[in-house]
Amino acid sequence: MFISNEMMLSLRLKRGKLNITKKESARQTGVSPKTFQEVLDGKKTEVQKRTFDLLNDWLLSED
């Protein structure tokens, strides 16, 4: 599955609103810190369905 630019921006915005580190964001999503970093940096746009679902679920959660 592919991470769109909109999803990447949404991940960045949520992390900023929560004022948490990338490492903490990764912990909350259940995604490895390395993968989370690569997604935020735009270096990784294709991810496994499970990773996509974890990131999407975190975006939709009410934190």
Side-chain angles (χ1 to χ4, degrees), residues 21-39:
T21 64
K22 290 176 184 172
K23 186 174 182 177
E24 175 59 20
S25 301
R27 187 194 66 74
Q28 288 184 14
T29 61
V31 174
S32 77
K34 181 181 179 196
T35 298
F36 193 83
Q37 174 75 41
E38 289 174 346
V39 167

Side-chain angles (χ1 to χ4, degrees), residues 9-60:
L9 178 60
S10 295
L11 290 167
R12 290 176 182 166
L13 287 172
K14 181 162 184 175
R15 191 177 78 81
K17 285 180 184 176
L18 295 175
N19 194 28
I20 56 178
T21 64
K22 290 176 184 172
K23 186 174 182 177
E24 175 59 20
S25 301
R27 187 194 66 74
Q28 288 184 14
T29 61
V31 174
S32 77
K34 181 181 179 196
T35 298
F36 193 83
Q37 174 75 41
E38 289 174 346
V39 167
L40 286 187
D41 291 346
K43 294 178 181 176
K44 183 175 221 122
T45 56
E46 187 173 4
V47 295
Q48 294 179 358
K49 182 181 183 324
R50 181 177 184 279
T51 300
F52 183 89
D53 290 343
L54 288 170
L55 293 172
N56 195 51
D57 290 347
W58 183 67
L59 286 174
L60 297 174

